[in-house]
Amino acid sequence: PPIEALCYLISNAATIGSGKKYIMLNDVSRVLLNAKVTREVYVQFPDDRLLGEEQMVGWLNLCLYGTRDAAMQWQDCVAEHLAPIGFERSAAFPSLHRHAEREMCTLFHGHDYVSSGEKRQLDWLRQELEKACEIKTDVIGFDDPEVKPEGKILNRIISVDKNGWSLEADPRHGELIVEALKLQDSKGVATTGADEPEDEHEILLHDERVFAYRSLAARANYLAQDRPDISSSSEKLCRELSVPNQASFKKLKRLCRYLAGLPRLRYLYRWQEMPKEIYIFVDTDFAGCKETRRSTSGRAAMLGGCLLKHWSKTQSTISLSSWEAELHGIAQGCAQGLGLQSLLRDAGWRLPAHVYTDATAAI
């Protein structure tokens, strides 16, 4: 599911409503074996089949791991189970379901559920899920001895304390990037990027260094979903995946040194009142790429004091002035704002979206 859906559930728990809210994490055992097959799928038996069955195959009634139907049919299986008990499926984000009467939302991905709501409502949902499949459940909440203060979902760490809720990416990703280049003991740097000599763009990487570069750049790009501070640098690294050069590898090492000095970053969703709008902040680095002269747009979407989404993207066209680059960034911010409005509308929140920029000429 999109990361903004998970961030919404945490911000929903941080928003003061009619009662104290908790977050419930459910892990479904043998998840794909619960979904029914909707077409004819046959499998071969193993070699130890009984005598007389050599010419027979198996006709699947339920999905099996490795088949094309497994993931898709599991989504439909979840929807068919949640709909009769009052949940409505989001039109924009099919993995998000909302129960309007009980004021709760649940998000699923693969075999993991994450739900936000009052404790008694979450207990009801847990009982309903246990009727359909075998699950393991953890409930996270503050100042309650019956629940845990921390849990993991989608390899991300969710915790809560007196200041509010927190979300942190799996710290192992940053550690693996630093360990791969053996920079654990290096001195950290304050920025993720630096100017590189122009002549090093002509020196291409070969063999093992190409594989290492692509692997580490892809891992950094995955980590950037939860690290706004490295999103711009990881995006630039991924632009050079096809033909990496010596300058590309130096930029990767610079990012590794930054992660060595700042290995972990945590979002803090402070306790807040009901927000009145979606804030979207946009800015643009005009002609930031020295090779293509393209601009890079950076944006962040906030729900009150809670970050829903951030992104860094190179513009597809070459802008001829700074205000034109800013205008493209504003248009992209508006498009993202419409998407977030759809998400929140399906979750029961109808809020206006306002885009903020410091570019007077673009306005």
Side-chain angles (χ1 to χ4, degrees):
I3 185 63
E4 57 264 32
L6 177 61
C7 292
Y8 159 72
L9 290 181
I10 301 176
S11 63
N12 180 38
T15 302
I16 300 175
S18 58
K20 194 174 182 181
K21 296 181 180 178
Y22 294 73
I23 288 180
M24 183 175 68
L25 310 178
N26 303 105
D27 185 2
V28 182
S29 302
R30 298 183 297 276
V31 54
L32 299 182
L33 302 181
N34 292 280
K36 295 182 179 180
V37 176
T38 57
R39 64 189 181 102
E40 292 187 5
V41 180
Y42 299 90
V43 294
Q44 292 181 339
F45 288 123
D47 294 334
D48 58 349
R49 54 184 174 268
L50 299 176
L51 183 64
E53 295 183 350
E54 293 84 355
Q55 304 301 322
M56 299 180 66
V57 295
W59 183 3
L60 292 182
N61 291 322
L62 298 177
C63 288
L64 188 66
Y65 285 89
T67 58
R68 296 179 181 178
D69 307 69
M72 179 179 62
Q73 297 304 330
W74 170 243
Q75 283 198 356
D76 294 338
C77 179
V78 171
E80 292 175 1
H81 173 64
L82 293 178
I85 60 177
F87 280 90
E88 295 181 4
R89 192 174 188 177
S90 169
F93 299 86
S95 56
L96 180 68
H97 296 255
R98 171 182 176 246
H99 199 299
E101 182 180 351
R102 296 181 180 270
E103 297 183 353
M104 61 184 303
C105 287
T106 184
L107 174 74
F108 74 91
H109 175 67
H111 55 85
D112 294 314
Y113 281 83
V114 53
S115 309
S116 174
E118 297 181 15
K119 188 178 180 181
R120 60 186 179 89
Q121 306 296 354
L122 295 178
D123 290 338
W124 168 82
L125 176 59
R126 174 183 56 79
Q127 295 173 4
E128 293 294 331
L129 293 177
E130 289 176 347
K131 295 178 183 178
C133 50
E134 181 181 345
I135 62 173
K136 298 178 182 178
T137 302
D138 289 324
V139 180
I140 307 173
F142 173 64
D143 198 19
D144 190 336
E146 298 181 357
V147 301
K148 298 180 179 180
E150 182 178 294
K152 292 190 68 175
I153 184 70
L154 303 177
N155 288 329
R156 293 173 172 89
I157 303 172
I158 300 176
S159 59
V160 62
D161 55 25
K162 63 180 181 180
N163 296 316
W165 290 85
S166 298
L167 175 65
E168 181 183 353
D170 186 356
R172 187 57 181 159
H173 289 298
E175 295 172 0
L176 290 174
I177 296 174
V178 176
E179 291 174 3
L181 295 182
K182 300 179 180 180
L183 295 174
Q184 301 94 317
D185 300 326
S186 65
K187 184 178 180 180
V189 294
T191 60
T192 59
D195 294 334
E196 65 275 356
E198 295 292 338
D199 55 350
E200 294 188 350
H201 289 273
E202 306 298 330
I203 306 176
L204 301 181
L205 300 181
H206 298 284
D207 303 329
E208 295 182 359
R209 298 189 75 191
V210 174
F211 177 80
Y213 176 85
R214 290 172 176 170
S215 175
L216 296 178
R219 186 179 291 274
N221 187 50
Y222 181 82
L223 180 61
Q225 294 180 98
D226 304 278
R227 293 285 301 258
D229 52 337
I230 68 170
S231 58
S232 178
S233 296
S234 63
E235 190 261 347
K236 293 177 181 178
L237 293 176
C238 291
R239 288 210 310 262
E240 302 174 4
L241 284 178
S242 58
V243 187
N245 51 54
Q246 186 66 27
S248 306
F249 203 81
K250 280 197 170 184
K251 287 186 283 189
L252 176 62
K253 291 182 67 175
R254 175 81 182 193
L255 178 60
C256 289
R257 290 178 59 194
Y258 176 82
L259 292 175
L262 188 63
R264 302 177 67 174
L265 184 142
R266 186 180 66 166
Y267 294 175
L268 176 59
Y269 295 84
R270 296 186 181 276
W271 307 111
Q272 64 175 8
E273 299 293 337
M274 181 68 182
K276 297 181 179 181
E277 64 177 273
I278 306 171
Y279 304 94
I280 302 173
F281 301 93
V282 300
D283 199 6
T284 302
D285 178 17
F286 173 59
C289 181
K290 294 184 179 180
E291 297 181 28
T292 63
R293 307 306 296 172
R294 291 183 178 179
S295 306
T296 300
S297 298
R299 297 170 290 278
M302 305 284 294
L303 184 61
C306 303
L307 178 66
L308 285 184
K309 186 177 182 179
H310 71 274
W311 60 100
S312 175
K313 182 179 180 181
T314 301
Q315 297 181 2
S316 58
T317 59
I318 299 177
S319 300
L320 302 183
S321 62
S322 60
W323 71 264
E324 184 181 352
E326 294 281 1
L327 185 60
H328 287 304
I330 292 173
Q332 293 172 1
C334 293
Q336 292 292 336
L338 294 176
L340 291 175
Q341 277 187 313
S342 299
L343 167 65
L344 296 180
R345 188 183 305 113
D346 291 341
W349 291 23
R350 295 183 177 272
L351 299 176
H354 291 171
V355 179
Y356 296 87
T357 179
D358 61 352
T360 304
I363 293 175

